[in-house]
Amino acid sequence: MYQKTWVLQSAAYELTLRCNMQCIHCGSSAGDARKKELTTEQWNNATKELAVMHCKDIALIGGEPFLNPSWFEIAKDIKDLSMNVSVVTNGWCVNDHIISQLRSLEPYAVAVSIDGGSSMIHDTIRQQQGSFARCLTALDRLTNANIPTTVVTTLHKKNIHDLSRLRALLAHKKIAWQLQLAAPIGRFPKELALSKDEFYAAALFIASTRKQYSLQELPIIGAHCFGYYSQVLPNINLIPIWRGCQAGISLIGIQSDGGVKGCLSLPDDLVEGNVTTSSLADIWDNSQSFSYNRLFSIKDLTLDCVECKYGKKCKGGCLSVSTAMTEKQHGDPFCLHAIEKQFE
């Protein structure tokens, strides 16, 4: 019988790397499918293993997950095994047939990626003319079908100035809103990443929006890359109390070729194994797996995090952002506490 050592709660499936867009901030450089992507049977075997491991939530991402012709069968298997299923989509493929399938699944949430408050901003970032209009239509279809709907906005220098316009579009529509950082991973150039001042301005925007709108009018949150330990702002992170990166602690990601990471945003040199050659339980329970987090020591902190009083429990913020921005682990420069110290 499977014995839990680290409590796995959530998983992400990169159902395919195939995508119908060429977003400038795509950390996966999505476009073409990987050479050997998992079969439906292999995905369903992974789902069965995760159910035995007491996983609670599985998110289907890509690429564009709806471009995997077996997405519904894979999602249905997740639901049939009593786990929550979510989908992250660019919105292009959301038609009446997919809406019908989603309604039968009763997903925990469907997240549509929208990166600006106008077609000029969004379509330029997504490099797909007409994608903004498609996203708005997808939102209408999802909300009209009473499917829990979220908008995910990835922030960088191309759209940081457009948040107020996007907020006006989303308010009072029963849509949640999550903001996250674009990090220099995949095809995203480092020169387009937010500055620390721009990052703090985005955090202020989240906090002020929460004061301006109730949870019913516009629930807004910062992703796991927003924080940490501000002395001025309330917690804006989706995690109520930040206890460090959860990659390999409570979270796992599976690439479309079967590669297993603690988080799909981490570099490929942190692939711990492959579901085509090893069981997920063996990968998860391996004493050498996910050592960057499981064997974390305060001595692993880098850069500004070394002297921080919150270092031991924060563990240096988001590991993928830290690695992408600094080429070091456990030293995320996008930290509210560190930025505020500069104001003292």
Side-chain angles (χ1 to χ4, degrees):
M1 180 179 295
Y2 175 73
Q3 299 293 322
K4 289 190 291 184
T5 303
W6 300 93
V7 182
L8 177 62
Q9 296 181 342
S10 303
Y13 286 1
E14 178 198 84
L15 284 190
T16 179
L17 201 58
R18 184 184 171 198
C19 192
N20 46 15
M21 298 188 187
Q22 291 283 315
C23 305
I24 64 172
H25 57 256
C26 182
S28 303
S29 298
D32 295 328
R34 295 184 190 271
K35 289 183 179 180
K36 292 185 178 180
E37 297 199 325
L38 297 181
T39 65
T40 306
E41 181 181 6
Q42 287 171 320
W43 279 120
N44 289 346
N45 286 339
T47 299
K48 291 179 177 64
E49 286 193 74
L50 289 172
V52 173
M53 296 165 72
H54 308 292
C55 182
K56 297 179 180 178
D57 306 285
I58 298 179
L60 307 181
I61 67 173
E64 170 52 43
F66 290 137
L67 293 181
N68 183 323
S70 298
W71 78 267
F72 179 72
E73 183 180 342
I74 295 165
K76 187 176 184 303
D77 200 51
I78 294 169
K79 286 293 293 186
D80 288 346
L81 289 169
S82 301
M83 290 178 282
N84 294 321
V85 62
S86 301
V87 184
V88 181
T89 174
N90 61 34
W92 189 270
C93 299
V94 177
N95 54 30
D96 289 340
H97 177 60
I98 283 181
I99 290 292
S100 177
Q101 291 176 307
L102 288 170
R103 288 190 67 181
S104 70
L105 286 172
E106 298 183 337
Y108 182 78
V110 175
V112 179
S113 299
I114 303 183
D115 295 314
S118 70
S119 59
M120 182 180 68
I121 300 295
H122 176 89
D123 290 3
T124 299
I125 291 170
R126 294 267 150 181
Q127 299 194 70
Q128 177 66 270
Q129 188 174 359
S131 61
F132 182 71
R134 288 266 193 133
C135 280
L136 297 185
T137 300
L139 292 181
D140 286 341
R141 282 176 163 152
L142 289 163
T143 54
N144 288 339
N146 294 316
I147 295 169
T149 307
T150 299
V151 163
V152 176
T153 302
T154 304
L155 295 178
H156 44 75
K157 291 186 183 298
K158 292 287 188 180
N159 62 4
I160 183 66
H161 60 281
D162 210 37
L163 289 177
S164 295
R165 183 159 48 176
L166 183 50
R167 178 175 62 188
L169 282 174
L170 299 179
H172 309 287
K173 291 188 176 180
K174 297 181 180 179
I175 296 172
W177 192 15
Q178 177 178 299
L179 303 185
Q180 61 189 30
L181 294 179
I185 306 168
R187 67 169 66 101
F188 185 64
K190 192 171 185 177
E191 60 266 24
L192 290 182
L194 295 182
S195 68
K196 291 183 181 180
D197 287 346
E198 289 168 331
F199 166 75
Y200 201 85
L204 286 170
F205 176 85
I206 296 173
S208 64
T209 299
R210 285 184 166 187
K211 284 194 171 184
Q212 185 175 348
Y213 296 89
S214 69
L215 282 175
Q216 289 71 36
E217 293 171 325
L218 182 58
I220 184 172
I221 198 79
H224 58 276
C225 49
F226 262 98
Y228 309 88
Y229 294 98
S230 171
Q231 307 301 292
V232 178
L233 302 176
N235 179 49
I236 58 172
N237 193 287
L238 57 82
I239 300 173
I241 301 176
W242 179 260
R243 298 295 187 189
C245 172
Q246 291 301 296
I249 301 295
S250 64
L251 172 68
I252 202 169
I254 304 176
Q255 296 179 156
S256 57
D257 61 0
V260 176
K261 296 179 180 178
C263 169
L264 289 174
S265 296
L266 292 174
D268 284 344
D269 59 0
L270 294 181
V271 170
E272 307 288 350
N274 195 292
V275 298
T276 63
T277 56
S278 303
S279 73
L280 275 171
D282 284 346
I283 295 171
W284 184 256
D285 287 335
N286 189 318
S287 62
Q288 303 302 312
S289 293
F290 317 106
S291 59
Y292 49 83
N293 273 342
R294 292 183 177 181
L295 301 181
F296 170 81
S297 163
I298 197 169
K299 295 179 181 179
D300 296 325
L301 293 172
T302 59
L303 304 173
D304 291 340
C305 299
V306 172
E307 302 295 331
C308 181
K309 64 181 180 180
Y310 296 110
K312 186 175 181 180
K313 55 184 176 181
C314 178
K315 301 180 182 178
C318 174
L319 192 69
S320 64
V321 173
S322 177
T323 304
M325 292 298 299
T326 72
E327 299 183 354
K328 297 179 183 292
Q329 298 178 355
H330 308 293
D332 183 353
F334 290 107
C335 168
L336 298 180
H337 178 69
I339 294 170
E340 288 166 357
K341 286 194 70 175
Q342 299 174 8
F343 302 154
E344 294 177 354

